[in-house]
Amino acid sequence: MGRIMNGKTMDKWASRFPLIRKIAAMDELLWLNPGYGRTPASIAVTAADVADAERRWVRFAPYIRKAFPETASANGLIESPLYSVPRMKEFLQASSSVPIPGRLMMKADSELPISGSIKARGGIYEVLKTAERLAIGCGLLKESDDYAVLADDSFKAFFSDYAIAVGSTGNLGLSIGIMAAKLGFHTTVHMSRDARQWKKDLLREKGAEVREYEADYSTAVEAGRRQAASNRRCHFIDDEHSKDLFVGYATAGDRLKKQFQKAGIAVDGGHPLFVFLPCGVGGAPGGVTFGLKQAFGENVHAFFVEPTHSPSFLLGLLTGLYDRVSVIDFGLDNRTAADGLAVPKTSAFAGKAAGHLISGCLTVCDRRLFQLQKGLADTERHWIEPSAAAGIAGPQMLLGTEFGKHYLHIHHLTEKTADATFLLWATGGGMVPQKIRAADYERASRI
Ligand SMILES: *Cc1c(COP(=O)(O)O)cnc(C)c1O
């Protein structure tokens, strides 16, 4: 009898899901989601939820603009640029034999204002929603008010009676910590052992309390959730269950649609859009995918990318067990330089709300992450963190692997790839200090 993994031997698992052997062996792979396009068992998020979120961002824009002057040029809207990356396309083609037809682009969430990562979408959104609920509930604010008043000292004093807490490997903590502390909340960030030191230092500097754990992400979240439960005035932002986070991410869909329109780039039946999203618990890529599906329907194809050491979303979706399965069960160590993706278990909420929208999942090894991160810096002068580089491996795995080609074939996309856009979602790296960038670059150069 072999080792028991989540109740079954490897032979039993592999007889149902042959790919599990490759996952356990930490091979890079592409998996096609058999549940893609299926009707979900229940509807967790609706288009109305996303529209409501977008209106909330608009209400808060005058406050954001005032509290974070760097957002003035965008009128207080937190959005990132969309870039064409032709030199990166050449780099990728030169370093592998797989040509990329069509256009290669990058959505630079690494340049999102305030916290420099995709977490600025969901994390900041949930903080704002919490603040609005409290202020309106106490009769201090109306939806028709100019929310710039929230920057007044009287509101800071009001929010200081309340607390916001979160568990994080880094970027979610940064987004929530910076925003919540700015509003005046007592803010606690519970950080896992993967969190990089500079993220902890920066948070403390911004006025948040940082609690450190010598354990993984799920453990830090669990500790935070427990401590927050004992304080009635504390709102715990739960990355493993939150609908608000998800909806905040989803507003990206319509924004991207407008950016494509403005750039004169078509996304339609003849011009498919392939999006590659780095994935941790699945909330950020799941929410973004939900928004993209609202915006582009069947013409967008979303693939999630995870480290070979932490394919938690892939395992959750493949087995149908979602958060009831951990990468640890399959002998993986969840150790990766992609700190933002180092999670052993997925979010059940994201899996259920977006599982049917995802075309497939891919895994990449850390070595490749460093090469891609450096390649992007060398060719396009865009700096992103290792987690954010995961998506860059996507186009060639789709175009060059047996399963990827099969996907293109069955969806009648093979002939359309020349007119397609391949979009790399560069999820973070904007806040990384210069010293750390230099060290990361140096490490990548040695590979
Ligand atoms: C958090 C994060 C992700 C993934 O988001 P999840 O919601 O955990 O799936 C991807 N890239 C970066 C840089 C992140 O910080």
Side-chain angles (χ1 to χ4, degrees), residues 116-119 169-172 199 217 239 245 249 277-286 304-305 313 339-341 343 347 350 385-389 425-429:
S117 83
I118 193 168
K119 302 298 190 320
T169 63
N171 286 337
L172 186 64
K199 292 184 180 172
Y217 173 74
D239 198 19
L245 284 175
Y249 293 121
L277 294 138
C279 175
V281 297
F304 287 11
V305 191
F313 196 87
D339 51 339
L341 314 181
V343 305
S347 149
E385 57 189 281
S387 298
W425 210 285
T427 44

Side-chain angles (χ1 to χ4, degrees), residues 24-48:
M26 292 186 285
D27 289 348
E28 291 188 330
L29 54 87
L30 183 151
W31 170 75
L32 296 179
N33 175 16
Y36 176 54
R38 258 185 221 157
T39 310
S42 61
I43 304 289
V45 182
T46 66

